[in-house]
Amino acid sequence: QTSPHPILLCSIDGEAIEANPAFYALSGLMPDRVRGARIETLGASFPVERLESFAVRSLSEGSSISGLESVLEDRDGNRRPVEISLRAFRGNGKALVLYQATDKAPERRLEQQVASFSDTLDLMVDQRVRQLTSGRQALGDLLNDADVALASFGPAGVTVRWNRARERLTAWSRAEGTDFATAVDALALDDDRAMAFARWFWSGSTEPFITSHVGYRKRILWRRAESPEPGATDRRALIGVPLPLPRPVEPGGDGLAVSFDL
């Protein structure tokens, strides 16, 4: 009588015996129309006639059965999703079955709200990803078009990435290799300067390094940077900025160590 869920007590052969107040409140039916009526006449208010086989099974197994989805029609004609639970038993010399309907409408509304929120969140994430991707692409184009050589290397000297300006300013092309040794070879330094450049790059020095290139009629000021993130793929970066040649560079003067900041 106090249950908030609509409950209907029937004989197992389909005669309605009694219902609780929650059933009458939901269906809008009067007790005298329910008591003694065939369950088929209850119509959409409590369509349990199709559950007869489950009632027989419950009686034979002596157990309750739950999780049966159905739809009830309330007194205003609104269809409400419910979950039916039933238990068949013997009482007063006859087989009876007790049906209970649990209203799933609030749960369904919550699921719809969650789904709607999830869709909105997905859309927001997609838009943000597009913005970030667009920004990253624009930044990549800017770095490629700038007259600054950029390259990054992993712990073992494997090249992780480089920009187009690096190819313009040096003879280092993608087809020639993807490691730090190839990058140094592309600078066309003599052996001593090449070794000095490599030692400088892999050291902890914060000073810049300048290389002069006769064939290209330019000098390049190099800086190095390390990734602060432990385990990062890009462990060290090489940044090269071209400098004007104030005077012709004599052969053999292909490297200058400097101790000033720009």
Side-chain angles (χ1 to χ4, degrees), residues 87-148:
R87 177 68 160 90
F89 58 96
R90 294 192 179 276
N92 297 328
K94 61 170 62 175
L96 305 174
V97 57
L98 192 69
Y99 295 97
Q100 174 179 290
T102 302
D103 190 359
K104 291 294 181 179
E107 183 177 317
R108 296 292 186 269
R109 283 195 297 270
L110 179 60
E111 290 174 352
Q112 291 172 355
Q113 290 171 355
V114 169
S116 176
F117 174 76
S118 179
D119 291 343
T120 302
L121 183 61
D122 288 344
L123 179 60
M124 292 170 61
V125 170
D126 288 343
Q127 290 175 340
R128 184 57 178 156
V129 167
R130 285 195 293 270
Q131 291 171 356
L132 291 174
T133 304
S134 173
R136 187 180 297 112
Q137 185 62 42
L139 179 60
D141 291 341
L142 178 62
L143 291 176
N144 276 325
D145 294 337
D147 203 21
V148 176

Side-chain angles (χ1 to χ4, degrees), residues 210-229:
I210 294 180
T211 57
S212 297
H213 307 271
V214 177
Y216 293 98
R217 300 291 300 165
K218 68 169 66 75
R219 292 186 303 164
I220 299 179
L221 183 144
W222 299 96
R223 284 193 171 276
R224 52 182 294 283
E226 295 189 29
S227 171
E229 297 295 331

